[in-house]
Amino acid sequence: MSELLPNEEYNGKRFIWSNGLQNIGDQIIAAKTVLPWMLQAAGAPGFIIAMLVPVRESGSMLPQAALTPWVTAHKYRKGIWLMGAVGQGIAAILMGIASLFLTGTALGIVVLLLLAIFATFRSLCSIASKDVQGRTIHKGGRGRITGRATELGGFISLAVGLAMTFIPALQNPNVLKLLIIIAGFSWFLAALVFKSIKEPEDPDADGGGLNKAWWKDTWELFRDHRNFRNFVIVRALMLVSALSTAFIVTLSQETGQDISGLGTFLVAGGLSSLLGGRISGIWSDASSKRTMSVGAAVATAVILLTILATSTLGGEALRWILPTSFFLLNLAHTAIRVARKTYIVDMAESDQRTRYVGAANTMMGIILLLVGTVSGVIAMWGSVPALLFLAAVGLVGVFAAARLPEVSKSKDYAEADEDN
């Protein structure tokens, strides 16, 4: 923490631990790995399983622009994050409880509804955390904070994955259900830690919120602010790393792996967060746009090499190739995720930041549903065509991210953006 200013040391540590605890829950209650395995084992319909990632991701993004006027009416944003954390914890625990008593379609519907509620509360944390971080951590230190929180979550996921892979007693579906319930309490602990952050009052906030309709403000930001518009487009192209991992897991399930295979993917996901979190934060503080560009390049290359491997190899080789691909894609996704969060926090100040975050995430929720639908339709012809589509998206993203303006250390960026 030596890079932080003395008065930021206190808040920085609490931001790392609160968001790290939230990331621990995310690693275990994951719509890309754990929940699909659980629902498939319980006999839930394939359609419901396919909707897990779109509901989780878009559900946490779509409400944010609508919530922005309400959020900006608060001079302090810490309480909004606490509300979101508690709501996520309750929804997660209810998912675990439901899995103990329900099966098949009934379980699938209940988990999907609870996941939608979970995602809505997550949107509160998403929009408030960037505001609190922007108020308490100086530009140039935010990426490290986000990266270390990611690293903490990855460490726990790695430990759980190793245990499930090598301890036969833990390779029981009921253990997975109890693990989900336990993970739900991580959000309660996160709330206790986040509550102790010393958030300063925004001197520019008057408690009145925005003076226009949220949908009008969202469209005007996208239309009139060129740099913001380009960021949204680049972020859409970064979906290559977010959506491709689900198809890697699907390929693995088609090879007939049991729950020990899930442990392998948890190890891969945790290790990628553990290794990528801190270094991604350092890179993002130096240049968040370059980190996004490199992450997209890595994701695209991994997808193409994985397709080549699946077409030429088979059997036991794929048992290790696919988790390795999953690891590398998650490593790229960790870098992209840390970088895009750092970029949007650095590109604006005060309530302008809140407006950017809310508008960008709502637009991304819509884009995610569209891109997810397209890739889903393409996947009707198999996972490989869908992966090829995402690789093409990622390749465009490499060059688009490189063309973004540098914001990580530019003091007059916000003023320059207003002139565009």
Side-chain angles (χ1 to χ4, degrees):
M1 304 295 294
S2 59
E3 296 87 355
L4 297 180
L5 300 175
N7 62 331
E8 296 176 325
E9 188 89 19
Y10 177 91
N11 286 329
K13 288 180 179 179
R14 280 150 184 79
F15 201 93
I16 288 173
W17 277 99
S18 57
N19 282 270
L21 286 165
Q22 179 173 242
N23 288 337
I24 289 171
D26 285 339
Q27 293 282 355
I28 297 174
I29 306 172
K32 298 178 181 179
T33 52
V34 174
L35 293 182
W37 278 89
M38 182 186 74
L39 292 184
Q40 185 181 53
F47 174 77
I48 292 179
I49 296 175
M51 289 299 296
L52 289 173
V53 172
V55 167
R56 163 64 180 86
E57 298 297 333
S58 64
S60 64
M61 297 178 185
L62 282 171
Q64 292 196 30
L67 290 170
T68 296
W70 176 71
V71 171
T72 55
H74 293 73
K75 293 186 177 182
Y76 298 95
R77 312 290 158 82
K78 183 172 66 174
I80 297 172
W81 197 97
L82 299 177
M83 186 187 307
V86 172
Q88 288 179 87
I90 293 173
I93 291 171
L94 290 176
M95 284 185 217
I97 294 175
S99 69
L100 293 173
F101 299 100
L102 300 175
T103 59
T105 302
L107 176 61
I109 292 174
V110 170
V111 168
L112 204 60
L113 290 174
L114 287 172
L115 189 62
I117 295 172
F118 173 95
T120 302
F121 279 105
R122 181 50 168 264
S123 68
L124 294 177
C125 288
S126 177
I127 197 170
S129 66
K130 296 177 182 65
D131 229 9
V132 176
Q133 187 186 42
R135 293 181 180 189
T136 57
I137 307 297
H138 73 281
K139 184 182 292 190
R142 296 162 182 167
R144 289 170 173 80
I145 296 294
T146 303
R148 291 184 185 181
T150 302
E151 185 180 20
L152 177 60
F155 176 78
I156 299 299
S157 179
L158 176 62
V160 172
L162 287 172
M164 292 184 65
T165 302
F166 297 108
I167 302 177
L170 297 179
Q171 296 172 8
N172 184 314
N174 289 328
V175 173
L176 185 62
K177 298 170 185 178
L178 292 174
L179 187 63
I180 291 174
I181 295 175
I182 294 172
F185 287 94
S186 66
W187 276 279
F188 298 155
L189 294 176
L192 288 176
V193 176
F194 201 88
K195 185 179 180 181
S196 64
I197 289 178
K198 297 177 180 178
E199 178 192 7
E201 178 181 344
D202 186 351
D204 298 324
D206 58 7
L210 297 177
N211 58 2
K212 65 180 74 173
W214 66 265
W215 59 86
K216 181 179 181 181
D217 186 58
T218 298
W219 172 246
E220 288 179 355
L221 286 174
F222 186 78
R223 181 192 65 195
D224 300 334
H225 294 228
R226 183 181 64 188
N227 292 328
F228 171 74
R229 180 172 63 249
N230 290 338
F231 168 75
V232 171
I233 293 172
V234 167
R235 186 175 170 185
L237 296 170
M238 295 296 109
L239 286 175
V240 57
S241 65
L243 296 179
S244 57
T245 50
F247 293 108
I248 299 297
V249 174
T250 300
L251 286 174
S252 176
Q253 288 177 315
E254 292 171 356
T255 65
Q257 294 188 41
D258 56 18
I259 196 170
S260 63
L262 173 60
T264 305
F265 282 106
L266 285 174
V267 169
L271 189 60
S272 64
S273 296
L274 185 63
L275 296 179
R278 180 170 303 195
I279 190 65
S280 297
I282 295 173
W283 288 350
S284 296
D285 281 334
S287 177
S288 49
K289 71 156 190 173
R290 185 168 62 243
T291 303
M292 283 190 283
S293 181
V294 172
V298 171
T300 300
V302 169
I303 291 173
L304 295 177
L305 290 173
T306 301
I307 293 173
L308 178 63
T310 55
S311 63
T312 57
L313 301 173
E316 190 64 23
L318 289 180
R319 184 176 180 86
W320 298 105
I321 289 174
L322 293 178
T324 300
S325 299
F326 186 87
F327 162 73
L328 293 173
L329 282 171
N330 268 284
L331 196 63
H333 182 63
T334 297
I336 291 171
R337 185 169 177 266
V338 172
R340 66 171 173 77
K341 286 185 175 184
T342 305
Y343 193 95
I344 199 167
V345 173
D346 285 349
M347 74 186 296
E349 301 294 336
S350 192
D351 283 348
Q352 181 78 322
R353 181 192 298 116
T354 310
R355 293 169 64 205
Y356 276 0
V357 170
N361 284 336
T362 290
M363 298 185 75
M364 279 305 303
I366 298 172
I367 294 169
L368 176 62
L369 289 176
L370 293 175
V371 176
T373 300
V374 172
S375 62
V377 171
I378 295 175
M380 294 174 63
W381 286 272
S383 297
V384 170
L387 286 169
L388 284 172
F389 165 71
L390 292 173
V393 170
L395 185 61
V396 177
V398 173
F399 299 100
R403 291 172 58 86
L404 286 174
E406 188 63 77
V407 302
S408 299
K409 295 182 179 179
S410 174
K411 295 182 179 179
D412 56 357
Y413 169 80
E415 289 81 357
D417 185 42
E418 292 293 337
D419 295 334
N420 292 322

